[in-house]
Amino acid sequence: GAVVSQHPSWVICKSGTSVKIECRSLDFQATTMFWYRQFPKQSLMLMATSNEGSKATYEQGVEKDKFLINHASLTLSTLTVTSAHPEDSSFYICSARGLAANSYEQYFGPGTRLTVT
Amino acid sequence: AQSVAQPEDQVNVAEGNPLTVKCTYSVSGNPYLFWYVQYPNRGLQFLLKYITGDNLVKGSYGFEAEFNKSQTSFHLKKPSALVSDSALYFCAVRDGTGFQKLVFGTGTRLLVSP
């Protein structure tokens, strides 16, 4: 159980276009989802936290108008990279935490590799 | 603020030998500590967690971790390494405020040689 999927697994887009990445919790309901960014050989950097039905909370230094996050249901959150530039190329990983009050664990998706040309 | 430190960028060990991947933490209050593993181009997989209770925590794939309060450490261990254990390992601590987000260490690459 506790499976999180991401789609697409990899995407190549042209500079200036927008890309949407989906994160789904397949067998549980997730009140909270987290979006991370990972550069090669580096740790995960938390970009934002999203709660179902409310606005996302962005970490300091992350442009909320560039990285649009929507958490429309208890099983789906989306990250849209708007007007993408080559420096946005990275590995994006989402994670989800369940409804239970003692949900200490986060379950991670397999990641999406974005390449902006 | 909660934080964890992984002092080693890489750990090399021969197959069959015991392995240790180090992690120290800095928290206010009780620490909720985690270990995750990441294989190339994949997301993170949960290995184990310490919330409370026994200081020796057993997890997936034969891994275990020892919580040491006096040394503020949470080292990951395995008695006998496998080549397939080669991966990137992250220690994390849960932030006790707000959304209870995980704060990750910088990661340690484990290389197990045949």
Side-chain angles (χ1 to χ4, degrees):
Chain A
V3 178
V4 176
S5 70
Q6 279 183 244
H7 178 81
S9 55
W10 59 270
V11 57
I12 301 173
C13 70
K14 292 186 176 181
S15 187
T17 61
S18 295
V19 175
K20 179 184 284 188
I21 302 170
E22 292 186 349
C23 176
R24 293 181 185 272
S25 56
L26 298 184
D27 50 4
F28 68 102
Q29 292 182 316
T31 49
T32 306
M33 287 187 172
F34 303 87
W35 286 96
Y36 295 86
R37 183 173 181 179
Q38 186 180 31
F39 292 101
K41 299 183 180 181
Q42 293 190 27
S43 188
L44 282 73
M45 181 191 80
L46 180 65
M47 299 174 66
T49 302
S50 72
N51 283 290
E52 185 265 338
S54 62
K55 290 183 178 180
T57 299
Y58 290 81
E59 295 297 302
Q60 192 172 7
V62 178
E63 298 176 63
K64 62 181 180 181
D65 294 330
K66 181 170 184 61
F67 299 100
L68 301 178
I69 291 172
N70 183 276
H71 193 158
S73 75
L74 286 172
T75 59
L76 173 65
S77 177
T78 60
L79 167 67
T80 301
V81 183
T82 63
S83 186
H85 289 98
E87 57 265 31
D88 298 325
S89 298
S90 190
F91 194 53
Y92 293 87
I93 304 174
C94 74
S95 71
R97 191 168 66 216
L99 281 173
N102 62 351
S103 291
Y104 300 109
E105 297 171 27
Q106 289 184 28
Y107 302 97
F108 286 80
T112 297
R113 183 159 302 282
L114 170 63
T115 301
V116 184
T117 60
Chain B
Q2 321 285 59
S3 66
V4 289
Q6 294 180 245
E8 304 155 316
D9 290 336
Q10 182 164 315
V11 170
N12 299 306
V13 65
E15 187 173 33
N17 284 356
L19 69 88
T20 298
V21 182
K22 295 180 180 178
C23 173
T24 57
Y25 65 88
S26 175
V27 303
S28 55
N30 295 321
Y32 293 169
L33 298 162
F34 303 80
W35 275 102
Y36 286 85
V37 60
Q38 184 182 31
Y39 295 97
N41 296 311
R42 303 290 295 275
L44 274 65
Q45 295 179 31
F46 170 78
L47 283 179
L48 51 81
K49 67 177 184 287
Y50 173 83
I51 304 297
T52 185
D54 291 340
N55 290 339
L56 185 63
V57 180
K58 294 189 180 296
S60 307
Y61 313 119
F63 284 92
E64 58 189 27
E66 186 172 8
F67 172 71
N68 188 316
K69 188 173 183 179
S70 63
Q71 297 185 4
T72 61
S73 66
F74 189 56
H75 300 332
L76 181 70
K77 299 181 179 183
K78 188 173 182 180
S80 178
L82 300 172
V83 173
S84 57
D85 292 330
S86 298
L88 190 57
Y89 290 81
F90 290 100
C91 181
V93 62
R94 193 178 78 158
D95 188 336
T97 62
F99 294 113
Q100 315 282 311
K101 65 185 179 185
L102 289 179
V103 177
F104 287 89
T106 50
T108 298
R109 187 165 300 281
L110 173 66
L111 183 60
V112 182
S113 54

